[in-house]
């Protein structure tokens, strides 16, 4: 497996899917605006999305990949197939029962995940209706995660990463053709979400068949591998998905926000998720099977890989931090401003995006830090650390709503709460790993982080100085002018960052050549 090439493959697919996702959101919010319907749709899509991120990007991979990889590489394909088939049947049975129960108690379920809607009759009604449609998405997307784990273990990272491209294409198509048939367009968006889940499952199932890997469907049995899987999986739900669980808590607390502000918080999160998905999720996806394979040969290589992963995560994240801090408002405007979403909403959304951005490096590094434990089949440590940061986030978010709601600033406090709790999470994970000698930072890592930060700081100063005049005029300029100006500023920022990184020794042509050619098996 070529680590760098695999990372580029996953990141490229993720970038395309996120661009399509922004197109989808722009179309949707141009019809919905920021109000009761959009708040309800945020809840209806957030609930199944939480499970998607927990399963597809977190706990499931943490439990499934090491076991499947060991069977596939060290024993036989047939044993790996049997384990995957058994896991599939257990997962399908549980998910079917879970979805049916939630559908039957949907009003109660919404009152739990969005308690603030109890005082908002329309938001509550739409949230119940929309979530009834979207919730079965969990069934399809969780089984898709299993198939993605199979393909990742076989070092086939492209097709699983492409599932989100398919998802967004389906969502856009379904919404475009169905929204004229509904008085409330939110129903069309909810149906699109469900159909996209089915499309992703069918895509990966077909890919597995094309690669000669098929599942056998039989009554599930309790095997040693299945027992190990659930032992790793259950604590991993909290350990791997702490950022997503925190976002879910933020949604619950955010249901008490004034009308439309939950939508603004969701939009800020959507923009912030772009670099997190491209860098953080891609790193976690590629790093876990690599570390597991290296640990079978000894600790030294895995320790070196982890340091390099931290360097790569930091170097790729800092330019995103620069652009979001400097031009978050312009990005939101370009992506979402339309008839029912104006620059007034942009001005309210931007501070929340800045608050999210202060934690962006932490969100990405959590993926690296947790992979170190998961590759060793330790999901308990990230669970305990995650539980602590989860508590911190909930307390800070609650305090924000209590004290800042009347000033319409609570959504900023909620976003900042996630950043603080994420930094606590990642620092604790690395500290515990260092104490157990599972993480050995060298002096070159320290200097790399310092130099990367200096390069990012210089880039921020340069782009702000270069665009003072342009930035003051964009609120009154046509979208095309903004897009052209933003593209130029983005290019300037990239060139400045690369130049400073090269001068400071962060970026070396020799290292790039090695990453492109070296085979990290």
């Amino acid at each position: 497996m070529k680590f760098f090439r695999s990372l580029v493959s996953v990141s490229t697919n993720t970038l395309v899917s996120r661009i399509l996702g922004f197109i989808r959101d722009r179309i949707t919010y141009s019809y919905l605006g920021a109000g009761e319907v959009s708040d309800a749709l945020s809840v209806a899509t957030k609930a199944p999305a939480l499970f998607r991120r927990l399963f597809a990007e977190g706990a499931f991979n943490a439990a499934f990949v090491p076991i499947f990889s060991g069977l596939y590489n060290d024993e036989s394909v047939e044993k790996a197939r049997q384990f995957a088939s058994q896991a599939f049947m257990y997962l399908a049975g549980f998910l079917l029962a879970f979805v049916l129960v939630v559908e039957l108690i949907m009003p109660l379920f919404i009152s739990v995940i969005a308690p603030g809607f109890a005082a908002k009759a329309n938001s509550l009604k739409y949230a119940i209706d929309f979530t009834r449609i979207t919730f079965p998405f969990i069934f399809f997307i969780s089984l898709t995660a299993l198939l993605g784990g199979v393909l990742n273990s076989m070092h086939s990272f492209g097709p699983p990463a492409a599932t989100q491209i398919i998802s967004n294409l389906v969502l856009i198509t379904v919404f475009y053709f169905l929204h004229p048939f509904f008085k409330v367009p939110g129903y069309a968006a909810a149906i699109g979400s469900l159909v996209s889940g089915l499309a992703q499952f069918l895509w990966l199932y077909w890919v597995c068949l094309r690669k000669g890997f098929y599942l056998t469907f039989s009554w599930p049995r309790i095997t040693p591998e299945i027992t190990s899987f659930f032992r790793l999986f259950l604590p991993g739900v909290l350990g791997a998905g702490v950022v997503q669980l925190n976002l879910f808590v933020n949604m619950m607390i955010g249901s008490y926000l004034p009308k439309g502000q939950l939508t603004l918080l969701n939009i800020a999160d959507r923009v912030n998720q772009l670099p997190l998905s491209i860098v953080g999720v891609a790193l976690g996806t590629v790093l876990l099977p690599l570390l597991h394979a290296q640990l079978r040969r000894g600790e030294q290589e895995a320790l070196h890989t982890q340091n390099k992963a931290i360097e790569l995560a930091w170097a790729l994240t800092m330019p995103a931090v620069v652009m979001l801090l400097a031009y978050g408002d312009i990005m939101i405007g370009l992506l979402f401003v339309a008839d029912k979403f104006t620059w007034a909403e942009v001005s309210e959304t931007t501070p929340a995006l800045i608050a999210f951005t202060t934690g962006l490096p932490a969100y990405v590094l959590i993926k690296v830090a947790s992979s170190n434990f998961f590759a060793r089949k330790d999901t308990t440590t990230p669970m305990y650390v995650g539980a602590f940061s989860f508590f911190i986030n909930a307390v800070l978010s609650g305090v924000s709503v209590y004290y800042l709601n009347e000033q319409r600033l609570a959504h900023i406090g909620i976003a900042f709460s996630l950043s603080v709790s994420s930094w606590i999470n990642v620092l604790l994970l690395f500290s515990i790993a260092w104490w157990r000698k599972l993480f050995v930072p060298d002096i070159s890592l320290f200097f790399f982080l310092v130099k990367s930060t200096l390069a990012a700081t210089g880039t921020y100063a340069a782009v702000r100085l270069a665009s003072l005049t342009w930035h003051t005029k964009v609120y009154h300029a046509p979208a095309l002018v903004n897009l052209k100006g933003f593209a130029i500023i983005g290019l300037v920022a990239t060139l400045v960052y690369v130049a400073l990184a090269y001068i400071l020794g962060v970026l070396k042509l020799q290292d790039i050549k090695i990453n492109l050619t070296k085979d990290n098996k």
Side-chain angles (χ1 to χ4, degrees):
M1 176 183 62
K2 293 180 175 61
F3 173 66
F4 188 75
R5 292 183 182 178
S6 299
L7 180 65
V8 170
S9 173
V10 175
S11 297
T12 302
N13 278 287
T14 305
L15 175 61
V16 174
S17 74
R18 292 299 173 180
I19 292 172
L20 288 172
F22 285 129
I23 294 173
R24 176 202 71 203
D25 287 344
R26 181 178 176 84
I27 293 171
T28 303
Y29 286 118
S30 69
Y31 285 93
L32 302 183
E36 294 172 328
V37 175
S38 61
D39 283 352
L41 186 63
S42 293
V43 170
T45 54
K46 226 21 166 201
L50 166 72
F51 288 87
R52 173 180 67 80
R53 287 167 178 165
L54 285 177
F55 285 113
E57 300 168 2
F60 189 88
N61 268 344
F64 182 83
V65 170
I67 297 174
F68 182 87
S69 239
L71 293 171
Y72 186 81
N73 294 313
D74 299 337
E75 296 194 32
S76 67
V77 174
E78 185 55 36
K79 284 191 176 181
R81 187 196 322 279
Q82 290 174 6
F83 166 66
S85 299
Q86 290 292 303
F88 184 95
M89 295 305 295
Y90 271 109
L91 195 59
F94 166 76
L95 289 167
L96 184 60
F98 180 55
V99 169
L100 288 175
V101 169
V102 172
E103 290 287 346
L104 290 173
I105 61 167
M106 188 59 71
L108 176 62
F109 180 72
I110 295 299
S111 71
V112 171
I113 67 171
F117 281 3
K120 306 172 184 177
N122 287 337
S123 293
L124 179 62
K125 175 188 179 302
Y126 288 132
I128 292 172
D129 289 350
F130 295 162
T131 311
R132 284 193 192 280
I133 298 170
T134 62
F135 204 73
F137 172 89
I138 294 172
F139 178 82
F140 297 113
I141 205 62
S142 300
L143 296 177
T144 301
L146 185 147
L147 299 176
V150 167
L151 292 169
N152 286 339
S153 299
M154 298 166 66
H155 301 156
S156 177
F157 296 100
T163 55
Q164 283 297 296
I165 297 176
I166 293 171
S167 171
N168 286 314
L169 287 173
V170 170
L171 280 162
I172 292 169
T173 303
V174 171
F175 182 81
Y176 178 78
F177 284 106
L178 289 188
H179 83 270
F181 297 97
F182 294 96
K183 186 177 180 180
V184 178
Y187 288 99
I191 294 171
S193 177
L194 176 60
V195 176
S196 74
L198 175 61
Q200 291 176 76
F201 171 74
L202 294 175
W203 157 247
L204 284 195
Y205 193 79
W206 177 78
V207 172
C208 285
L209 291 178
R210 284 289 303 268
K211 289 184 173 293
F213 191 94
Y214 58 90
L215 300 175
T216 55
F217 303 108
S218 60
W219 191 256
R221 305 186 312 275
I222 298 178
T223 64
E225 292 80 14
I226 288 294
T227 303
S228 297
F229 167 73
F230 282 111
R231 190 180 296 121
L232 294 172
F233 173 74
L234 295 176
V237 168
L238 184 55
V242 62
V243 172
Q244 309 307 331
L245 287 169
N246 279 330
L247 285 169
F248 193 68
V249 169
N250 290 350
M251 181 191 72
M252 293 175 63
I253 297 173
S255 65
Y256 289 100
L257 294 172
K259 182 177 71 174
Q261 284 212 329
L262 181 58
T263 298
L264 304 183
L265 187 66
N266 184 54
I267 287 174
D269 173 49
R270 287 286 299 161
V271 177
N272 184 63
Q273 286 282 332
L274 176 62
L276 172 59
S277 299
I278 293 173
V279 182
V281 175
L283 263 176
T285 300
V286 177
L287 188 60
L288 178 56
L290 175 61
L291 285 176
H292 182 261
Q294 290 179 343
L295 285 169
R296 297 204 308 267
R297 301 194 291 267
E299 286 281 341
Q300 197 58 42
E301 191 178 3
L303 293 174
H304 175 74
T305 296
Q306 186 175 201
N307 282 340
K308 291 301 178 185
I310 294 170
E311 291 180 1
L312 187 60
W314 194 265
L316 294 177
T317 303
M318 292 311 293
V321 171
V322 167
M323 292 304 292
L324 289 176
L325 290 178
Y327 298 110
D329 53 348
I330 308 305
M331 292 182 69
I332 296 169
L334 286 171
L335 293 168
F336 295 105
V337 165
D339 293 339
K340 294 188 177 182
F341 193 91
T342 67
W343 284 101
E345 281 79 25
V346 171
S347 65
E348 283 193 88
T349 308
T350 302
L353 175 58
I354 291 173
F356 275 130
T357 303
T358 60
L360 182 56
Y363 311 147
V364 174
L365 287 174
I366 285 173
K367 299 293 184 180
V368 178
S370 58
S371 291
N372 187 26
F373 291 97
F374 296 150
R376 293 173 166 83
K377 299 184 179 180
D378 176 7
T379 55
T380 305
T381 300
M383 178 191 72
Y384 289 131
V385 173
F388 179 69
S389 66
F390 184 79
F391 172 76
I392 295 295
N393 176 65
V395 171
L396 292 177
S397 295
V399 169
S400 297
V401 170
Y402 185 81
Y403 286 103
L404 300 175
N405 217 16
E406 290 186 6
Q407 295 90 345
R408 293 185 64 86
L409 298 174
H411 65 302
I412 304 171
I414 290 174
F416 190 66
S417 299
L418 178 64
S419 295
V420 172
S421 65
S422 296
W423 276 113
I424 292 172
N425 184 292
V426 74
L427 291 174
L428 284 175
L429 284 175
F430 278 124
S431 297
I432 293 170
W434 175 76
W435 182 67
R436 295 180 184 176
K437 294 182 172 54
L438 306 179
F439 167 55
V440 183
D442 50 35
I443 192 66
S444 64
L445 174 61
F446 171 76
F447 282 117
F448 185 95
L449 297 181
V450 171
K451 291 177 181 179
S452 295
T453 305
L454 288 173
T457 304
T459 303
Y460 179 84
V463 296
R464 290 298 287 173
L465 287 173
S467 61
L468 286 177
T469 303
W470 173 71
H471 195 275
T472 59
K473 296 179 179 178
V474 292
Y475 287 87
H476 308 287
L480 188 60
V481 175
N482 287 344
L483 181 60
K484 181 180 178 181
F486 186 74
I488 293 172
I489 293 296
L491 179 60
V492 170
T494 302
L495 293 175
V496 171
Y497 182 76
V498 170
L500 290 175
Y502 182 78
I503 292 170
L504 292 170
V506 174
L507 183 65
K508 298 177 182 177
L509 296 178
Q510 183 180 1
D511 289 345
I512 296 175
K513 184 178 180 181
I514 290 173
N515 283 326
L516 288 171
T517 58
K518 185 178 178 180
D519 191 6
N520 298 303
K521 293 183 179 179

